[in-house]
Amino acid sequence: PFLELLEETTRARNRIRATIETQLATDDPRFFATRSPIMRENEEVPGWHNFEKADKVQVNVVTVSSIVDDAIAKTGKIDPLQLPDISDENIIFIGETNGTEQRTNGAASSNPLRNWSDPVYFVQNILNEPLFRKQGDILRAIKNKPFVSVVGANGTGKDWTAARIILWWLSIQQEAVAVVIGPTHRQVADVVWKEVRVGYQAAISNKKPLGGTMAKLPRWEINDRRFAVGFATDSEFNIQGYHSPRLLLVITEAHSVEDSHIDAGMRLNPSRVLMTGNPFTNEGKFYDSHHSQRDLWEPIKISAYDTPNVSSNTITIPGLVNHAQVERRRAELGEDNPMFVAGILGEFPENLDE
């Protein structure tokens, strides 16, 4: 165990070194780093493992979270969730132009908090990542609605979008917590949290680091009152103890999560709830959020045909379902097969039991 801990510490140190070196290379005046005195090769940064040299090196990295803190301090206790979204005329989504580039045409304000409070703008400009229209709908919904339930076909970017919402949620608020629960550890750690790490690294590559410490385990911490955590559990009573005036609850693969666990998550009194899943069920709270209780939720459906890879018959976003895969499933199953209806159309089939 000691050797495993030592190896993990070494890997963590190397990740931190790579992150700082990337941040030090930035040339954006809003995101800069200084070190004093000049760091010599192989000299250690304080906080890695050699604290005797802590007085020799000082690193100051400006991050998205620190800029948000400054903006809030200058403008008073402004609520980012109450700021209006950027006009759609300033937003371009993939699949809606002749090319594949999508960026905002211009910022709505010189105040970064005003711009970044719109999660669509945040993903496109801070993470520099592509979005299609339905992903934008999910991002806007979770900002403006307390309860959002997304049902979708396989491979339509639901977990990708949930991960970017987690990054946005913590970045634009001074005190916020995100809790991710799912039916299995694999789903939380290997699917959702992998996407959280990819998005976090995308911000660094775009020279706009978000700040905090991102772990390989499902945890990202900016400070004690600003963190995200993910886990799976076999007991509803393990989903307790998290409190924040701004708590985001993400329930991934919600169609496979027990109703008692969803109820336990609701007892955290979250400010926002995002459920994502597939329509492979005909009962339970996730199913009800699109049927008998849809008036209590903002329901969103994503079909494979909503993705640019399928609608344009071109691979514009690698990893999403594509046209050839849809046609193969149609040939194998037929359009009336419940697995085609659920897995491709993103609809709850009436004859699922068949």
Side-chain angles (χ1 to χ4, degrees):
F2 173 78
L3 291 178
E4 292 177 356
L5 177 61
L6 182 61
E7 290 175 356
E8 176 60 28
T9 302
T10 301
R11 289 193 294 268
R13 185 182 70 235
N14 291 336
R15 288 196 299 269
I16 295 170
R17 182 193 297 273
T19 298
I20 291 179
E21 287 176 350
T22 299
Q23 294 170 349
L24 289 173
T26 183
D27 54 6
D28 189 323
R30 295 172 303 167
F31 299 86
F32 62 90
T34 59
R35 43 188 172 177
S36 176
I38 296 176
M39 189 183 299
R40 294 184 294 274
E41 186 176 1
N42 296 325
E43 190 167 8
E44 300 298 337
V45 171
W48 285 354
H49 69 274
N50 192 338
F51 291 94
E52 294 179 357
K53 296 182 179 180
D55 60 338
K56 295 183 180 180
V57 181
Q58 182 179 9
V59 177
N60 178 30
V61 178
V62 174
T63 65
V64 167
S65 55
S66 64
I67 290 176
V68 166
D69 290 345
D70 290 343
I72 293 177
K74 292 177 181 177
T75 57
K77 289 294 183 179
I78 190 169
D79 184 355
L81 299 183
Q82 299 302 316
L83 294 173
D85 294 329
I86 292 173
S87 172
D88 271 359
E89 66 185 18
N90 288 328
I91 302 292
I92 301 174
F93 291 102
I94 275 189
E96 299 182 10
T97 62
N98 292 329
T100 59
E101 289 296 323
Q102 55 78 62
R103 297 294 295 275
T104 52
N105 292 331
S109 170
S110 59
N111 180 356
L113 184 60
R114 165 66 180 83
N115 301 321
W116 302 344
S117 66
D118 185 331
V120 170
Y121 187 97
F122 178 89
V123 172
Q124 290 184 335
N125 290 269
I126 299 302
L127 308 185
N128 194 29
E129 293 184 315
L131 288 172
F132 63 93
R133 174 67 65 173
K134 281 287 186 174
Q135 290 176 317
D137 291 345
I138 299 170
L139 289 163
R140 293 274 177 79
I142 201 66
K143 176 190 173 185
N144 298 305
K145 303 290 184 178
F147 303 103
V148 179
S149 182
V150 180
V151 64
N154 296 117
T156 52
K158 300 181 295 296
D159 291 314
W160 186 98
T161 307
R164 274 62 189 176
I165 288 172
I166 294 166
L167 294 171
W168 166 79
W169 184 259
L170 261 63
S171 294
I172 58 105
Q173 301 182 92
Q174 285 186 305
E175 186 173 347
V177 170
V179 176
V180 184
I181 63 173
T184 64
H185 176 75
R186 183 203 68 83
Q187 174 64 25
V188 174
D190 295 345
V191 179
V192 176
W193 213 259
K194 181 203 71 173
E195 291 294 351
V196 172
R197 294 197 307 272
V198 169
Y200 183 86
Q201 184 60 46
I204 294 174
S205 299
N206 196 35
K207 299 180 180 179
K208 295 176 173 62
L210 302 181
T213 301
M214 178 66 70
K216 188 173 183 180
L217 296 174
R219 188 174 184 88
W220 171 35
E221 184 169 321
I222 297 176
N223 58 49
D224 288 343
R225 296 184 178 275
R226 201 173 182 181
F227 64 89
V229 63
F231 58 91
T233 178
D234 58 0
S235 172
E236 64 184 274
F237 299 107
N238 292 331
I239 308 173
Q240 59 185 0
Y242 297 100
H243 303 287
S244 173
R246 288 294 169 84
L247 193 147
L248 166 68
L249 174 65
V250 176
I251 306 174
T252 178
E253 293 287 280
H255 61 280
S256 296
V257 175
E258 295 181 22
D259 284 355
S260 62
H261 290 193
I262 296 177
D263 280 335
M266 292 298 187
R267 290 197 294 271
L268 297 176
N269 298 317
S271 307
R272 296 289 189 276
V273 178
L274 173 65
M275 290 200 295
T276 65
N278 302 117
F280 298 128
T281 184
N282 53 19
E283 61 182 0
K285 291 188 174 296
F286 179 66
Y287 178 87
D288 291 343
S289 69
H290 291 267
H291 293 87
S292 62
Q293 295 188 0
R294 63 179 292 116
D295 58 325
L296 301 178
W297 293 81
E298 182 72 11
I300 297 175
K301 185 194 79 171
I302 310 179
S303 163
Y305 294 98
D306 292 321
T307 68
N309 289 4
V310 177
S311 62
S312 66
N313 194 14
T314 304
I315 305 297
T316 56
I317 304 181
L320 290 182
V321 62
N322 61 54
H323 187 269
Q325 292 167 339
V326 169
E327 290 305 307
R328 181 176 179 84
R329 295 294 282 172
R330 185 201 305 275
E332 290 176 342
L333 301 172
E335 293 184 357
D336 295 330
N337 187 292
M339 289 296 100
F340 185 87
V341 172
I344 299 298
L345 301 182
E347 299 176 356
F348 291 92
E350 296 181 0
N351 55 340
L352 181 63
D353 293 337
E354 299 177 10

